[in-house]
Amino acid sequence: MFKKVLIAEDHEIRNLGVINTLEELFVPEFEFVSYCDAALKKVKSAITEEKPYELLITDLEFDDDFVEQSINSGQELIAEVKKIQPNIKIIAFSIEKKTQLIDELFHGLGINGYVSKGRNDAKELKNTIKRVFADEIVIPQDILNSIRNNTIEVTDYDINLLDSLSKGWKQHEICAHFKQEGLQPNSRSAIEKRLNDLRDSLNARNNIEMIAICKDMGIL
């Protein structure tokens, strides 16, 4: 089992469940930090002392307060930690449900496990820690199913299009904006066709529902 674990979590009440889990697994050394900057500093110090952390458990969202931070999210923290300690195991522990964002955590940032906060999360966290220690990649089944079923390929062009639509712009306004920005294709017919294709791919009945689906998926 892991010997040294760092937990980045800004809600103390949630830490109690994590503490119980780590104690049940007989992890001898674990520390908590409430800020991403502090977490990165501890990782750096541990490396310098040649006593690196073996596992990082981090939330993805951290509440803003009076303490100014250079790193404000779990995603940024994961990316920075991976730069200086590529072999560290990382588990994201979050309420986040957006499949595209979670997929990016695994395929873009190389995390080892994901646990959704909620009912029975202590049991899930304990199981995930065990499996990650055994060199498994642990994705919750419901999220894995969503990722597999999400076959739509969204380009930067699509994101620009959907973002403009989410701001309430009409098609002729999007057309004018795309022409001004040099985005292609920018004809009204091409924009209308792409919106139709996106609605069909997402099984959305209208643009409003499509934007809602894209936000849920983490596209927007």
Side-chain angles (χ1 to χ4, degrees):
M1 181 45 60
F2 295 109
K3 302 300 182 184
K4 189 173 182 179
V5 178
L6 179 64
I7 303 96
E9 166 65 72
D10 61 353
H11 288 273
E12 290 185 7
I13 190 66
R14 293 174 185 159
N15 290 343
L16 297 177
V18 180
I19 289 172
N20 290 337
T21 298
L22 295 174
E23 288 180 342
E24 288 174 5
L25 291 171
F26 301 103
V27 175
E29 185 178 353
F30 52 85
E31 297 178 77
F32 286 87
V33 288
S34 299
Y35 299 97
C36 293
D37 284 8
L40 182 60
K41 183 177 180 180
K42 278 190 171 292
V43 171
K44 289 179 177 178
S45 295
I47 293 171
T48 300
E49 295 168 3
E50 297 185 353
K51 296 179 180 179
Y53 292 97
E54 299 170 311
L55 172 66
L56 168 66
I57 301 173
T58 181
D59 198 349
L60 297 179
E61 294 186 5
F62 291 78
D63 295 338
D64 292 330
D65 60 15
F66 60 90
V67 179
E68 187 174 343
Q69 298 289 302
S70 60
I71 304 175
N72 297 297
S73 72
Q75 294 96 312
E76 292 177 79
L77 173 61
I78 292 167
E80 291 301 317
V81 168
K82 279 288 188 177
K83 289 178 184 177
I84 59 174
Q85 191 179 344
N87 62 337
I88 190 173
K89 300 290 180 68
I90 298 179
I91 296 173
F93 186 35
S94 173
I95 61 171
E96 183 60 69
K97 295 291 187 180
K98 295 176 180 176
T99 55
Q100 183 158 317
L101 186 153
I102 296 170
D103 191 34
E104 175 61 23
L105 290 174
F106 283 97
H107 294 101
L109 295 178
I111 70 169
N112 304 89
Y114 185 90
V115 179
S116 297
K117 289 181 178 179
R119 187 174 298 176
N120 297 320
D121 59 13
K123 180 180 178 181
E124 292 298 324
L125 179 60
K126 184 177 181 179
N127 182 54
T128 299
I129 292 172
K130 287 180 178 179
R131 293 175 62 189
V132 167
F133 180 72
D135 290 327
E136 293 184 47
I137 301 297
V138 187
I139 309 176
Q141 191 60 49
D142 59 334
I143 293 173
L144 184 60
N145 291 340
S146 296
I147 292 171
R148 286 172 174 169
N149 293 333
N150 178 21
T151 57
I152 182 173
E153 293 186 9
V154 180
T155 65
D156 290 341
Y157 175 89
D158 295 331
I159 292 173
N160 273 294
L161 180 56
L162 291 164
D163 183 59
S164 299
L165 197 66
S166 71
K167 294 175 181 175
W169 292 8
K170 305 298 183 184
Q171 286 188 23
H172 71 275
E173 294 174 316
I174 297 174
C175 178
H177 173 67
F178 277 22
K179 286 180 179 177
Q180 183 179 356
E181 296 296 322
L183 297 174
Q184 298 284 347
N186 53 35
S187 68
R188 189 163 180 174
S189 60
I191 288 171
E192 184 175 358
K193 182 180 184 305
R194 186 53 186 159
L195 287 174
N196 287 335
D197 291 342
L198 289 169
R199 282 195 300 270
D200 289 342
S201 298
L202 293 166
N203 294 316
R205 292 168 292 183
N206 51 52
N207 287 340
I208 294 175
E209 184 176 12
M210 177 170 64
I211 294 301
I213 291 171
C214 288
K215 288 181 178 179
D216 286 341
M217 292 173 60
I219 295 172
L220 293 177

